[in-house]
Amino acid sequence: MDLSTSDIAALTSFRRTLHQSPEVSGNEEQTAKMVRDALSALSPDQVVTGLGGHGLAACFGGPSPGSTILFRCELDALPIQQISDAAHRSRSEGVAHLCGHDGHMAIMMGLATCLSRCRPACGRVILLFQPAEETGAGAAAVLADPRFEALTPDFAFALHNLPGIPLGTAALKSGPVCCASRGLEVTLTGTSAHASQPETGVSPMAAISDLMPALTNLSHGDTDDAGFSLVTVTHANMGAPAFGIAPGNATLFATLRTLTDDRMKALCDQAIALTGQAAQDHGLEIDHRYHDIFRHCENDPVATDILATALDRAGISRDDTALPWRPSEDFGRFGAVAKSAMLFLGAGVDQPPLHNPHYDFPDDLIPAGVRIFEAVTRDLLG
Ligand SMILES: [Zn+2]
Ligand SMILES: [Zn+2]
């Protein structure tokens, strides 16, 4: 079923309305309400709300038994100030949809429109609007929600727009497609001193200044190499903004990134050994904490073939040269319960990168995304 011109106009308007009202991970209450209100006009069989936070799932079933297919999109925006003159720019100070999740939601609403007009011949389709993707918490929270058990799919699919490849083309491959990553917070504690007598204290200054390049130097290769690792120091803080005190504490944030979960374990061991040795060398106490833990995202070969067939049916060209992709995606968690795969839809070579303050989801991708997901549905469920 093709969307009409007025359908596409309505979906574009829905996307832009979402764009104006972004909410950060975990706070997507109004976004979830807007999605729920839009879905109510499409008469799904069931809508489950409050899933893993503000998540919601809409079910569209067919008249006979069959597989359950889940499509996932994301509700959350980013804590970044947008730079834009567009009429639909964010109205929330310091928060914006700079990853295109507004566009992904519009695609899902387009699929819901198709399904409401023509139900699958069998089985059921679950449209999951997932919270908190950007922090890596949302997929795990949805999967841990007791109500998810009744929604457990046989297949799970997602797409993410990808700036840097031609508009409307696709990137797809089986195996690892998004990296594992996690935030490492290192706290070093010594003893502060009068700035005139720094020798009476224990300063973390030498340790932290050594660790910034040393952690960075754990980086190796790129994603075409199974041993790929990347350490990005993202934040450092030492002592107080004062002139009379030699510092007694410091904090360092670094993002660790690898192609696979197995390789992440080795990189963590290296980072912990390095920071622990620096603390010992300088007489400091050390504490490590991990945040924003993403597993690597692995495309199942059968699910990847289903997406490839759907792309062919939708007339969308594909290659795999942009993959694996360095960023992380918590969609990989669905691989634990279903055959899962995600594809990447080109947002254009001139589009600013994701999370850039100038980024805006290209509306032209909405009908393309709907065509792909509808082709998957008809192939599997009729
Ligand atoms: Zn993002
Ligand atoms: Zn994203």
Side-chain angles (χ1 to χ4, degrees):
M1 169 182 298
D2 282 337
L3 294 169
S4 69
T5 307
S6 67
D7 290 333
I8 294 168
L11 293 169
T12 300
S13 169
F14 179 65
R15 201 283 291 180
R16 294 182 175 195
T17 303
L18 292 169
H19 194 87
Q20 287 179 320
S21 316
E23 293 171 298
V24 296
S25 308
N27 285 9
E28 311 95 337
E29 190 171 1
Q30 291 307 315
T31 306
K33 183 176 184 312
M34 288 161 70
V35 168
R36 192 171 71 235
D37 289 349
L39 283 169
S40 67
L42 301 172
S43 306
D45 303 331
Q46 182 191 10
V47 177
V48 181
T49 59
L51 203 56
H54 293 298
L56 68 162
C59 306
F60 290 87
S64 53
S67 300
T68 296
I69 312 175
L70 180 145
F71 295 97
R72 188 221 61 172
C73 68
E74 319 89 325
L75 293 165
D76 53 338
L78 286 154
I80 302 172
Q81 178 63 44
Q82 182 173 32
I83 301 173
S84 171
D85 295 327
H88 62 273
R89 67 184 175 274
S90 170
R91 290 179 180 166
S92 299
E93 187 72 18
V95 184
H97 270 297
L98 301 178
C99 205
H101 297 176
D102 50 343
H104 304 165
M105 286 187 269
I107 288 169
M108 290 278 273
M109 204 56 72
L111 179 60
T113 304
C114 296
L115 294 172
S116 74
R117 290 176 190 162
C118 178
R119 299 269 166 165
C122 68
R124 64 184 173 149
V125 177
I126 295 169
L127 307 181
L128 172 64
F129 294 77
Q130 183 204 297
E133 191 284 325
E134 294 288 355
T135 60
V142 167
L143 287 162
D145 192 309
R147 290 168 305 157
F148 186 76
E149 195 172 344
L151 304 173
T152 303
D154 300 294
F155 294 96
F157 300 103
L159 66 74
H160 206 294
N161 78 96
L162 182 55
I165 66 170
L167 186 72
T169 66
L172 176 67
K173 108 188 261 188
S174 66
V177 288
C178 298
C179 285
S181 72
R182 61 177 58 195
L184 171 63
E185 177 183 0
V186 180
T187 307
L188 298 167
T189 307
T191 310
S192 63
H194 196 286
S196 68
Q197 295 176 306
E199 70 278 9
T200 64
V202 180
S203 170
M205 188 267 289
I208 200 169
S209 59
D210 288 350
L211 279 173
M212 285 192 275
L215 283 168
T216 305
N217 285 338
L218 295 177
S219 304
H220 167 82
D222 209 334
T223 54
D224 56 355
D225 172 354
F228 167 67
S229 56
L230 178 65
V231 180
T232 307
V233 173
T234 57
H235 173 75
N237 181 336
M238 183 182 77
F243 298 103
I245 310 165
N249 56 67
T251 309
L252 189 61
F253 281 30
T255 305
L256 314 184
R257 194 173 297 282
T258 58
L259 194 60
T260 62
D261 297 330
D262 285 348
R263 176 74 189 120
M264 176 57 76
K265 186 175 178 326
L267 181 59
C268 288
D269 289 346
Q270 285 179 293
I272 297 301
L274 192 67
T275 52
Q277 187 63 51
Q280 191 179 331
D281 291 349
H282 295 279
L284 300 158
E285 288 181 24
I286 188 163
D287 187 41
H288 298 102
R289 281 174 202 208
Y290 291 116
H291 305 273
D292 294 11
I293 297 172
F294 289 82
R295 293 186 186 164
H296 87 265
C297 188
E298 175 99 15
N299 272 358
D300 171 83
V302 174
T304 304
D305 281 349
I306 291 166
L307 286 179
T309 303
L311 287 168
D312 294 345
R313 277 183 52 158
I316 292 172
S317 66
R318 59 187 159 89
D319 71 27
D320 62 7
T321 51
L323 300 176
W325 195 39
R326 281 193 191 179
S328 303
E329 243 298 340
D330 74 354
F331 178 71
R333 299 251 178 195
F334 290 94
V337 297
K339 287 188 176 6
S340 69
M342 71 184 302
L343 64 84
F344 300 85
L345 199 50
V349 290
D350 297 326
Q351 174 69 235
L354 300 173
H355 298 201
N356 179 292
H358 296 278
Y359 170 88
D360 190 9
F361 182 88
D363 288 313
D364 288 347
L365 292 184
I366 296 173
V370 177
R371 279 208 317 279
I372 297 165
F373 282 170
E374 201 193 7
V376 171
T377 304
R378 303 304 170 196
D379 275 347
L380 290 177
L381 304 182

